[in-house]
Amino acid sequence: MSSSADDAANAVLLGEEAVADVAREMAEQVCLGFRAHDRRKRERAVEAFAFVDRHQFAHLDAATARAAAAAYVDALWAKDEVEESCTVDGELDYDALAEADWGSVRMAFAKRASIVGMDPRYARDSTVAWKRHKVGGDYATPMQRAQVYELRAAMGAPEYPDKPHQGQSGFGPEAARYLLAVELHDMHTEGHWEQARDVMIPYFERVLRAHEDSRAPPSRDD
């Protein structure tokens, strides 16, 4: 990320152009984080997710945001270890994986939730989502529900998605965007990675604008 964009991210108020620049870099880094995980590059994954967490969790200092990112990476690596324990001669035993102990994954997600200060149910739903993502079943519902908890913590908005009067069902557009990005990730092509990045830009714009709203000075009556 350019130094000017990084400086803008740390300013009191970003402005629309800077919000777009920072959100785009956050979307780029979240995709790079998952790609680093796919390539078994742990430190690179932590760096990428730490960039995202440093900007999306404005209430955390840099060191705490990095710890939250490291806990997320720990969860991904724990998931891989569970899968490896159920692999025989290069073939994953999906029945064994469904019955395996995913406690280490949940513990890592719980650590992240505790660091960030998000609803502890995030750990349960994230674990169920990633397990079902691998073994089958409805992973979309717990995945989006987990993102609602993360978005609420990031935006300081406990009522998110706080929809207007009509259409109360669902988890909100940002949680849906995250799910779509995961689906695009699963395709493992450059074109789909670019789509995933583009899908996530408005997600992070929403988060950054929530920060801006919370820092904006109150309006004064003439």
Side-chain angles (χ1 to χ4, degrees):
M1 186 177 190
S2 68
S3 59
S4 60
D6 202 34
D7 290 342
N10 294 317
V12 175
L13 293 174
L14 297 182
E16 280 301 307
E17 185 175 349
V19 163
D21 288 345
V22 176
R24 183 177 181 84
E25 187 64 18
M26 292 170 76
E28 182 79 21
Q29 290 297 323
V30 78
C31 289
L32 289 175
F34 280 112
R35 297 188 80 167
H37 165 248
D38 291 343
R39 295 165 180 167
R40 311 300 297 159
K41 297 183 181 295
R42 189 183 187 283
E43 287 307 310
R44 180 66 190 92
V46 172
E47 289 295 332
F49 289 127
F51 178 92
V52 176
D53 282 351
R54 190 166 70 249
H55 289 79
Q56 75 169 335
F57 298 121
H59 61 289
L60 302 181
D61 60 32
T64 307
R66 183 180 176 84
Y72 188 78
V73 172
D74 287 345
L76 296 180
W77 254 253
K79 175 181 72 69
D80 294 344
E81 290 172 2
V82 175
E83 292 171 10
E84 289 167 8
S85 72
C86 298
T87 300
V88 180
D89 296 329
E91 294 293 326
L92 183 60
D93 184 336
Y94 288 95
D95 291 334
L97 187 60
E99 297 299 322
D101 181 3
W102 285 68
S104 59
V105 180
R106 183 165 179 165
M107 286 178 61
F109 280 130
K111 181 177 180 181
R112 174 174 173 80
S114 177
I115 292 170
V116 171
M118 71 177 89
D119 191 311
R121 289 175 291 182
Y122 166 87
R124 176 200 65 196
D125 287 323
S126 293
T127 304
V128 171
W130 286 113
K131 179 178 180 179
R132 290 180 182 173
H133 179 260
K134 201 70 178 183
V135 304
D138 172 23
Y139 89 92
T141 297
M143 178 72 71
Q144 291 179 93
R145 189 158 47 224
Q147 286 311 118
V148 166
Y149 299 138
E150 183 157 309
L151 284 158
R152 287 174 176 174
M155 297 192 293
E159 300 303 318
Y160 177 88
D162 193 24
K163 295 183 179 182
H165 179 65
Q166 301 297 329
Q168 292 299 301
S169 296
F171 300 100
E174 286 70 39
R177 283 182 176 279
Y178 191 92
L179 175 64
L180 176 55
V182 172
E183 286 289 299
L184 290 165
H185 157 271
D186 290 346
M187 302 307 294
H188 294 286
T189 73
E190 287 300 323
H192 286 96
W193 277 115
E194 291 174 3
Q195 290 180 56
R197 177 200 62 207
D198 292 347
V199 160
M200 288 299 290
I201 292 172
Y203 177 108
F204 291 121
E205 286 178 341
R206 174 74 183 274
V207 171
L208 294 175
R209 288 195 181 100
H211 298 170
E212 297 296 279
D213 291 345
S214 69
R215 290 194 294 253
S219 59
R220 296 189 302 176
D221 295 332
D222 292 335

